[in-house]
């Protein structure tokens, strides 16, 4: 009986181990597959850029766009950025992907402005590794020149964690970027641990309040107090605030009450490819929408 028990424990253990191993193996295989195909993604034209409108909450007008990358994998279909950006970051490929995103989105913005005459601002996400690359400042300068865009029309979004990794280096690079005249934003604010006091060291223009604060338990009193306190403090520090992930009219009303500067989210618009965005821009005027009290 004891033998039997030991035997089955071993068998179960072995099975568990096998199960675990094959799960791990599968994840690692998918990852390797993604990493390998990422190498050719630019040259094979597999990336696509979508743009999500940013709305000024005073005028209810679209004032800017955020560039969001999409990857159409030939076998695996659409891979979300949260799945492949970390792989691109670890393997170093984010540097060429990031440069492509900057260049391509500035070109597309130039075309949009030429066609529609609307001077929208463009926000581009910049990863930690890109921020530290020695060539970012030159890249930005070259891309703006090529697209004939004034530097204040480009905003770079950096995460708190990217800024905090090597604070002194980050401060120095941000100063150079600021000298060029580009706008600087902190993305996903509230998900890191830094707090506003630390962020004062950086020459920032905009804070983007993470959507986890904006659209989860929006009705919860604690959350609302947090959003209000955050907005007051940010304004005292002369920073403009964008609320991410605005999905409901309820939360929009609170954001208006608390004098939040801009909003972005599915309530206004999904990220769209440039041709669809152009149609959307023609049709949309949020100032005409009725906002219930
Ligand atoms: P992010 O920069 O914070 O971008 C906002 C994300 O929230 C986008 O997800 C957007 O589609 C989504 N979103 C917008 N409105 C709403 C809403 O109302 N509700 C909800 N639930 N979600 C909303 P997406 O496009 O999947 O991108 C995810 C993240 O991937 C981005 O977060 C950014 O960190 C990264 N990413 C995307 N494009 C790039 C890129 O070109 N370069 C780099 N380095 N990172 C990128
Ligand atoms: Mg962003
Ligand atoms: Mg964000
Ligand atoms: Mg986010």
């Amino acid at each position: 009986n004891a033998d039997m028990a030991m035997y089955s424990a071993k068998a179960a253990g072995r099975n568990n181990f096998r199960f675990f191993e094959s799960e791990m193996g599968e994840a690692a295989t998918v990852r390797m597959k993604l990493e390998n195909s990422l190498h050719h993604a630019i040259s094979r034209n597999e990336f696509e850029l979508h743009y999500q409108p940013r709305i000024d909450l005073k005028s209810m007008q679209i004032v800017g766009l955020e560039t969001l990358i999409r990857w159409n994998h030939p076998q695996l279909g659409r891979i979300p950025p949260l799945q492949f950006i970390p792989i691109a970051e670890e393997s170093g490929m984010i540097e060429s992907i990031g440069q492509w995103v900057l260049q391509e989105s500035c070109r597309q913005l130039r075309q949009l402005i030429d066609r529609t005459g609307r001077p929208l601002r463009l926000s581009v996400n910049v990863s930690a590794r890109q921020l530290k690359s020695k060539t970012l400042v030159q890249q930005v300068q070259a891309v703006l020149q090529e697209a004939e865009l004034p530097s204040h029309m480009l905003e770079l979004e950096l995460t708190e964690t990217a800024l905090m990794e090597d604070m002194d280096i980050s401060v120095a690079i941000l100063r150079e970027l600021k000298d060029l005249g580009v706008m600087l934003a902190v993305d996903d604010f509230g998900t890191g641990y830094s707090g506003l006091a630390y962020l004062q060291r950086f020459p920032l223009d905009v804070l983007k309040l993470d959507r986890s604060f904006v659209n989860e338990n929006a009705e919860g009193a604690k959350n609302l107090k947090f959003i209000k306190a955050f907005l007051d403090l940010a304004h005292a520090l002369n920073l403009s605030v964008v609320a991410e992930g605005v999905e409901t009219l309820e939360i929009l009303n609170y954001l208006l009450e608390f004098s939040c500067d801009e909003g972005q989210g599915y309530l206004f618009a999904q990220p769209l490819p440039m041709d669809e965005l152009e149609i959307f821009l023609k049709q949309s005027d949020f100032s005409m929408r009725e906002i219930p009290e």
Side-chain angles (χ1 to χ4, degrees), residues 145-166:
Q145 207 161 28
E146 191 212 291
E148 297 180 56
L149 292 173
S151 52
H152 63 85
M153 288 185 76
L154 178 67
E155 183 177 286
L156 303 179
E157 294 188 8
L158 309 143
T159 59
E160 260 178 292
T161 24
L163 293 177
M164 295 302 153
E165 256 175 41
D166 269 301

Side-chain angles (χ1 to χ4, degrees), residues 253-266:
N253 276 323
Y254 285 115
L255 293 169
L256 290 168
E257 188 187 320
F258 301 156
S259 307
C260 184
D261 304 274
E262 291 178 33
Q264 187 179 336
Y266 299 159

Side-chain angles (χ1 to χ4, degrees), residues 187-188 210 244:
D187 204 354
D188 303 339
D210 193 70
E244 296 189 303

Side-chain angles (χ1 to χ4, degrees), residues 94-95 99 126-139 169 173:
I94 193 68
E95 296 203 24
Q99 172 153 31
V126 170
S127 78
R129 185 142 174 176
Q130 265 178 289
L131 178 64
K132 258 146 239 146
S133 93
K134 302 233 153 43
T135 56
L136 179 68
V137 180
Q138 285 163 264
Q139 260 179 51
I169 298 176
I173 295 174

Side-chain angles (χ1 to χ4, degrees), residues 4-285:
M4 278 293 284
M6 208 160 88
Y7 173 79
S8 47
K10 262 190 190 162
R14 216 168 22 238
N15 282 339
N16 279 339
F17 177 71
R18 283 224 179 103
F19 174 72
F20 183 66
E21 190 185 39
S22 79
E23 287 268 288
M24 285 294 287
E26 217 169 284
T29 309
V30 169
R31 203 204 132 95
M32 236 168 65
K33 206 169 177 178
L34 290 182
E35 189 177 330
N36 287 337
S37 30
L38 258 185
H39 283 287
H40 314 287
I42 293 181
S43 63
R44 292 178 184 166
N45 255 320
E46 291 166 7
F47 289 129
E48 195 183 325
L49 296 178
H50 285 195
Y51 299 89
Q52 188 178 34
R54 231 161 85 169
I55 284 78
D56 175 83
L57 297 183
K58 274 213 181 79
S59 64
M60 284 291 164
Q61 299 295 319
I62 297 170
V63 287
L65 305 171
E66 177 175 4
T67 306
L68 295 161
I69 194 169
R70 299 291 178 256
W71 182 19
N72 302 309
H73 190 284
Q75 282 91 42
L76 302 172
R78 178 70 60 84
I79 315 285
L82 287 177
Q83 201 177 339
F84 74 83
I85 293 286
I87 300 175
E89 176 97 19
E90 280 163 41
S91 61
M93 280 183 280
I94 193 68
E95 296 203 24
S96 49
I97 295 171
Q99 172 153 31
W100 180 83
V101 170
L102 257 176
Q103 186 169 42
E104 187 60 25
S105 59
C106 283
R107 279 179 186 160
Q108 292 196 1
L109 178 71
R110 164 47 59 202
Q111 290 171 358
L112 180 79
I113 293 173
D114 288 348
R115 279 197 300 263
T116 65
R118 287 181 72 162
L120 301 177
R121 253 185 293 121
L122 184 72
S123 266
V124 177
N125 292 288
V126 170
S127 78
R129 185 142 174 176
Q130 265 178 289
L131 178 64
K132 258 146 239 146
S133 93
K134 302 233 153 43
T135 56
L136 179 68
V137 180
Q138 285 163 264
Q139 260 179 51
V140 167
Q141 194 167 21
V143 157
L144 287 171
Q145 207 161 28
E146 191 212 291
E148 297 180 56
L149 292 173
S151 52
H152 63 85
M153 288 185 76
L154 178 67
E155 183 177 286
L156 303 179
E157 294 188 8
L158 309 143
T159 59
E160 260 178 292
T161 24
L163 293 177
M164 295 302 153
E165 256 175 41
D166 269 301
M167 252 217 200
D168 295 333
I169 298 176
S170 305
V171 169
I173 295 174
L174 258 58
R175 289 224 179 96
E176 281 185 63
L177 289 167
K178 201 61 239 174
D179 286 344
L180 276 185
V182 301
M183 306 288 280
L184 299 172
V186 176
D187 204 354
D188 303 339
F189 184 79
T191 55
Y193 302 96
S194 51
L196 282 170
Y198 272 104
L199 289 181
Q200 269 190 285
R201 290 191 52 191
F202 301 97
L204 299 167
D205 305 286
V206 174
L207 291 187
K208 298 191 79 176
L209 186 57
D210 193 70
R211 69 167 186 263
S212 57
F213 293 105
V214 178
N215 66 15
E216 265 170 42
N217 313 310
E219 261 69 43
K222 203 172 148 205
N223 211 44
L224 287 174
K225 273 186 200 155
F226 176 88
I227 296 176
K228 187 182 183 324
F230 168 82
L231 273 157
D232 290 345
L233 194 52
H235 286 152
L237 296 171
N238 250 327
L239 294 162
S240 173
V241 178
V242 183
E244 296 189 303
V246 180
E247 292 182 353
T248 63
L249 280 170
E250 286 99 305
I251 192 67
L252 174 61
N253 276 323
Y254 285 115
L255 293 169
L256 290 168
E257 188 187 320
F258 301 156
S259 307
C260 184
D261 304 274
E262 291 178 33
Q264 187 179 336
Y266 299 159
L267 177 67
F268 304 111
Q270 302 261 341
L272 297 166
M274 203 43 114
D275 51 345
E276 285 175 43
L277 180 89
E278 213 176 305
I279 297 166
F280 182 82
L281 286 176
K282 282 189 196 130
Q283 297 166 343
S284 59
D285 182 355

